[in-house]
Each structure stands twice: as structure tokens, then as C-alpha cells.
Amino acid sequence: QVQLVESGGGLVQPGGSLRLSCAASGSIFRLYAMGWYRQAPGKQRELVAAITRDGRTNYADSVKGRFTISRDNAKNMVYLQMNSLKPEDTAVYYCNVDSAGDYSYWGQGTQVTVSS
């Protein structure tokens, strides 16, 4: 069973914060590094944060210092804490393995809108 269920998005003012959650299939979560991706209207999907099985992280330059990815291996959960949000962070956010591409399974994502 493939499971990638994102939640926690919403409307927030610039400078605000949101915490996104992803419930992943146990087998996927156990085997792979996980990442958060986002796709804004008219733009390509991009990887914004990734975390390995042992907790090492990488971030896109655009979110460094503002976003923090974490995972709970016992709960098959991955999180994205987003602080100091900017309008350009507006996108649909997805979780997946860090090597996911166009032919991978993708969940529904969760909408993040940063606007005053």
C-alpha cells in the first residue's frame, strides 16, 4: 500500500508560520530518505527540503534558515516547520521520497498560501 498524505497547509500572512505533516507508508519511510516538494502555479515542482533515514538534512537555498524538516521513524511521519513565510512560498506542498520524479506516485499535497 502506497501512502503519502499531507496535511497542515492553509492561509497565512507573510512572516507567519505553518507546520506541515506527512503520513507515509511504513515500507517507504523505512527504506528511503524523504523530502518535501512544492509546486507553484506555472512552475516546475521543486525539492525544498530532504532528510535521510538518520536525520541528515538538506534545503533549497530559498528556504534555508526558515524551514526545518524532521521525521519520526517510529510514527512514519515527516514534518516541515515553515517560519518567516513569504508570498513566494505559496504552492502546493508534497511529501515523497527524495528521488521522486514525474512517474512516481504522488499524493494530493497540501496548499500553502502566504498572503496579506
Side-chain angles (χ1 to χ4, degrees):
Q1 182 183 7
V2 176
Q3 177 185 331
L4 292 166
V5 182
E6 302 92 345
S7 62
L11 174 64
V12 64
Q13 295 188 56
S17 297
L18 286 172
R19 166 161 274 219
L20 307 184
S21 299
C22 173
S25 301
S27 59
I28 294 174
F29 198 87
R30 189 181 73 253
L31 293 171
Y32 297 99
M34 299 295 295
W36 282 97
Y37 300 76
R38 68 185 181 190
Q39 187 167 28
K43 295 187 176 181
Q44 298 290 328
R45 181 173 51 236
E46 63 173 338
L47 179 67
V48 299
I51 185 166
T52 65
R53 291 172 293 175
D54 60 350
R56 291 170 292 167
T57 59
N58 285 292
Y59 300 93
D61 288 342
S62 59
V63 307
K64 284 180 180 176
R66 301 188 297 118
F67 291 10
T68 303
I69 188 171
S70 60
R71 65 192 294 162
D72 185 337
N73 291 338
K75 302 295 190 297
N76 299 335
M77 297 288 292
V78 60
Y79 307 97
L80 186 67
Q81 178 66 47
M82 305 185 295
N83 299 325
S84 301
L85 283 161
K86 304 175 180 180
E88 52 263 46
D89 296 319
T90 296
V92 178
Y93 284 72
Y94 303 87
C95 64
N96 214 323
V97 297
D98 71 343
S99 59
D102 289 345
Y103 297 96
S104 301
Y105 171 82
W106 294 89
Q108 294 297 310
T110 186
Q111 176 72 50
V112 172
T113 302
V114 185
S115 176
S116 59

